Amino acid sequence: MPCLHAGSNSSGQLGVGGAADVAEPQSLKVARRWAAISMGSRHAAGVTGQGEVYTWGLNDRAQLGSPSGPGESKDVPKRMELLVGWNVK
């Protein structure tokens, strides 16, 4: 079953591409089967069934675990390369 999101998306926190608010539920822009997803007010993280960790949304305090600069956002899920090879559950 796809992961569907709608609502405020000012920082790309819905992971559906872009930063426009979403009135109708849309799927994440990455085709994955998710074991778990945690949504914050401006960022989110997900773990796939294979243990891959993805983050998206606002990264003003490096909360996405990536080296992008302050205020940068990701509007689609991006795999955390730092955790490749770890057994994340």
Side-chain angles (χ1 to χ4, degrees), residues 38-66:
S38 178
M39 304 283 298
S41 63
R42 297 216 174 215
H43 64 282
V47 179
T48 68
Q50 294 76 36
E52 298 173 316
V53 177
Y54 286 76
T55 59
W56 58 96
L58 185 63
N59 194 42
D60 62 338
R61 293 184 174 91
Q63 61 265 49
L64 301 182
S66 69

Side-chain angles (χ1 to χ4, degrees), residues 9-75:
N9 192 38
S10 60
S11 300
Q13 66 266 36
L14 297 181
V16 297
D21 291 350
V22 178
E24 298 291 324
Q26 294 183 22
S27 296
L28 290 172
K29 293 295 181 188
V30 176
R32 297 276 184 249
R33 296 194 101 176
W34 300 97
I37 290 183
S38 178
M39 304 283 298
S41 63
R42 297 216 174 215
H43 64 282
V47 179
T48 68
Q50 294 76 36
E52 298 173 316
V53 177
Y54 286 76
T55 59
W56 58 96
L58 185 63
N59 194 42
D60 62 338
R61 293 184 174 91
Q63 61 265 49
L64 301 182
S66 69
S68 61
E72 290 187 26
S73 298
K74 296 180 198 166
D75 62 358

